[in-house]
Structure formats: C-alpha cells, structure tokens
C-alpha cells in the first residue's frame, strides 16, 4: 500500500460533485479513494458510493467507505475506514469479512499500542498537522509523532491531516507509506493538476526512501 | 404482529436514559422496541443497541434498529426499520437475511403501491397525525388514509405519528395491527403506567375488532 489516498469532502469541493473530483484525481494517478459523508442520509450516501464503485472498480482502485459498514456491504466496497468512535475493529472485521481492507485511525499513543494486536490493514495517523476539515480529533501528531509510530508499529501508515505539496516530503521521510489528502485535492482550482503533482512528488520521494532503506 | 410498539427518542425522554424508559415499557407489556438514534456516532449507537439487546432478548421482545443495518448486524437485532430515504428494501433484505423483520415506512400512496410487491414484514404508516418528533415527513395520513391502506394492502400495518390514549381506539378500528408510540411513553411522567394503560386499551379494542371480523 502506497501513494496518494483521496478522502472526499463534498463541502470542501467548491461546489463540484464528489464524483467529478474523484474522477479527475484517479485519472491523475491517485491510488485509493475514501468516501466520507457525515451529513447525508443512508440512501443518498448509498447512491454516491454506488457511483464511485462503478467508476473505480474497472480501474482497480480501492474504494473505502468511512465508518458505515452497511454502505460498504451494500455496494461491495473494498473496505472501510473506522475511527475510534466508530464500530470497534473486531466487530467491523466480523461483518466485513477477511478479504476486505480495514483502516483504523489512531489519535493517541494508546490507540497505536492497542492497534498492534489487531490485523488492521493500515493505521490512519490522524491528524499529522492541524486541519480545518476535521475538528473532532486529538492534538496533531506532528512529524516526530509519525516517526515514533513508524519505529513502533508493524502496520502500514496512512498519514492524514493538513497534508499537501509543502510537507509531503517530510511526511514520507518520517515513514508514511500513504499520504491521504482532503483539501489539497478537493479544494484545488484544478483537482487533476493538484493530484498529478502530488502523485509525481510522492513517487520521487518514496522511491528514494526505498533505496535508502 | 400486534400490540404497542415503542420507538425510542432520547431527546423526548425528559433526561431519562433510553434503557430505563424501555425497561419500564417492556415490564408493562409493550410488544416490540425500535431503537431510533439520529444524532449519535456509530460506537455510541452500537453500545445502546447492545444494551437493549441484552435487556430484550431474554424477554423475547423483538429489537428493531432504525435505518442502520450495520448496527443491526453487529448486535444481531431482530430487524430493521427503514424509511424511504434509507437503504432500499431489497438491499436491506439481502444484507439482513430472510429470517429478520424488515419494516418499511410509507408516506405516499406510491410508497404503498410499491410496497405491495415487496416481502416487507410490516408497513409503518407514517405519520397518522401531525407530530413534533418527526418533521421530515409528508402530510399526515389521518384515519381515512389508514383505512384506505388497510383495504388495499396485504401487509401488517404499524401506525405511527401522534398516537396515544386519546386516539388509539380510532386507529385500531381503522385497521392498525400495531400502535407505535414515541412521546406517549418516552415523555410520560411514568413510562410504566403510560405503557400499561396503552397495552390494556389496545388489548380491549383489538380483541373486540377480532371478534367483529
């Protein structure tokens, strides 16, 4: 698991439909898409998820649903992302089955330690930097926090929170396998261009890191 | 399926925990409980559902979860209640399996006609009268609307919306098999007494209706 991971945010998308932002982002090489909907009713959420599934499946780009396992099961999404106030991991795994991706957000060191015993597919290290798009989180991990988690944890790390071109290099060098972004793509004047630059930058930095290790 | 069906509403419960209101109501003879939570996060909703499951299962009183099939699956609830803006019935049935209860709200005549082709376990005729606890609904069916649905539909009918002691008799006489209440129990000074009176009144009126038919 590596690359740029787009997390959708309809409100941050400057009035553009989520589907069109995702479509531009994947055309530019984004590796994974998480549909996050906190305000929609079940049926609207389901329709959006079904539309993304139709777009992403032929491209073999995983579709991850935030929180809602019912939506993930209904559209046969590739996985779910759960936070510490969502379904507990073991219940999520039982409902989703063993062949799906389950990512878990870690916001405290206790979360990181507990996750070590779980067969999660990745840890969402959240947030790395302060961010306006998610306000219900603990204090930011920062680059040093990410580095500590990298040294401790056996799981792939998806870094999220305030990430973009200006700090991608530092975050990859600190040990992130995946850079998750919201505003850097959703709120970009041109989501295709923004995605393209992030993907290219990631590939350059990550391959250099791989050679080093 | 018959009797009094309690639909929970934490906000309408005068500061009492949902679990305690439900506990009083089932001790007084309520036949079925629906957990409705529109504002809680997944984990809190799940904990509430698990607590109700533990209370209701030994009493063989069905626990129905509003909207959230993930919660219903996680706690092995007896069923789900879905509205017209929730998961479509066929998707809900596929996820829930054939041995569960699925109730479907009907708010327009088109909903009633479409439901005739579906193997739903009951129709939630909603709302019968105007109600402050649910504001996102169509105009009320009234007693005449309920009577028309009874004449047309093959499904058991759960009437909901503004129901209580003052109109229970009319609603049962118009063809409701089940009387669903929110405020009449949740906001009652004594939920046990209120439930007891509703249950006794239902039994008197319903058995008279059965003799008549």
């Amino acid at each position: 698991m590596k690359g740029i991971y787009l997390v959708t945010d309809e409100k941050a998308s400057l009035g553009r439909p989520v589907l069109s932002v995702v479509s531009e982002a994947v055309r530019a090489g984004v590796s994974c898409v998480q549909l996050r909907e906190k305000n929609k009713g079940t049926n609207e959420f389901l329709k959006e998820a079904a539309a993304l599934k139709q777009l992403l499946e032929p491209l073999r780009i995983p579709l991850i649903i935030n929180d809602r396992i019912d939506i993930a099961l209904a559209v046969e999404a590739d996985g779910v992302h759960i936070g510490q106030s969502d379904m507990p991991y073991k219940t999520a795994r039982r409902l989703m089955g063993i062949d799906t991706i389950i990512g878990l957000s870690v916001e405290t060191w206790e979360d990181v330690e507990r996750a070590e015993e779980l067969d999660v597919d990745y840890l969402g290290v959240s947030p790395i930097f302060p961010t306006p798009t998610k306000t219900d989180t603990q204090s930011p991990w920062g680059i040093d926090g990410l580095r500590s988690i990298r040294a401790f944890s056996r799981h792939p790390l998806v870094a999220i929170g305030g990430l973009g071109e200006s700090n991608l290099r530092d975050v990859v060098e600190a040990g992130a396998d995946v850079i998750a972004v919201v505003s850097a793509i959703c709120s970009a004047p041109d989501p295709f261009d923004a995605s393209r630059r992030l993907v290219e930058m990631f590939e350059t930095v990550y391959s250099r890191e791989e050679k080093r290790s």
Side-chain angles (χ1 to χ4, degrees), chain A:
Chain A
M1 193 167 196
K2 64 182 182 111
I4 302 295
Y5 180 152
L6 171 63
V7 179
T8 69
D9 186 340
E10 190 175 39
K11 283 192 181 154
S13 298
L14 315 180
R16 300 171 293 212
V18 164
L19 186 64
S20 91
V21 171
V22 171
S23 170
E24 293 297 289
V26 296
R27 200 162 62 81
V30 156
S31 311
C32 186
V33 175
Q34 179 187 137
L35 178 60
R36 183 157 75 185
E37 280 297 347
K38 289 295 183 191
N39 302 306
K40 284 205 168 117
T42 297
N43 201 28
E44 271 190 282
F45 193 167
L46 183 67
K47 282 178 184 164
E48 189 97 90
L52 290 191
K53 164 86 176 178
Q54 203 169 13
L55 169 70
L56 298 175
E57 189 168 38
L59 305 171
R60 295 170 182 271
I61 295 174
L63 170 63
I64 309 292
I65 304 293
N66 186 280
D67 178 15
R68 292 287 298 267
I69 289 170
D70 49 353
I71 304 288
L73 292 172
V75 304
E76 297 179 38
D78 301 278
V80 290
H81 181 88
I82 53 179
Q84 296 291 331
S85 60
D86 298 336
M87 194 78 78
Y89 170 75
K90 286 180 183 176
T91 312
R93 178 59 76 193
R94 176 166 60 79
L95 297 179
M96 290 291 294
I98 53 169
D99 294 331
T100 58
I101 299 166
I102 303 186
L104 176 66
S105 287
V106 290
E107 297 182 6
T108 67
W109 192 256
E110 291 67 40
D111 297 343
V112 175
E113 288 182 341
R114 269 198 304 269
E116 208 55 13
E117 295 155 31
L118 308 173
D119 287 323
V120 299
D121 295 285
Y122 68 81
L123 296 185
V125 182
S126 166
I128 302 295
F129 300 118
T131 158
T133 57
K134 204 157 186 295
T135 52
D136 58 342
T137 50
Q138 302 285 325
S139 58
W141 285 103
I143 294 291
D144 288 346
L146 175 61
R147 204 176 278 122
S148 305
I149 298 174
R150 178 66 298 156
F152 175 83
S153 178
R154 64 188 175 100
H155 298 303
L157 301 185
V158 174
I160 187 167
L163 305 188
E165 289 179 58
S166 66
N167 48 32
L168 183 148
R169 176 186 307 262
D170 291 344
V171 175
V172 172
E173 287 177 356
D177 302 289
V178 178
I179 301 296
V181 299
V182 187
S183 321
I185 292 178
C186 294
S187 307
D190 185 326
F192 175 84
D193 281 351
S195 303
R196 192 69 236 155
R197 285 196 304 275
L198 288 165
V199 168
E200 283 171 359
M201 192 180 278
F202 180 89
E203 283 168 1
T204 307
V205 181
Y206 195 84
S207 61
R208 204 171 52 208
E209 282 302 299
E210 275 186 325
K211 276 180 210 144
R212 195 181 294 173
S213 62

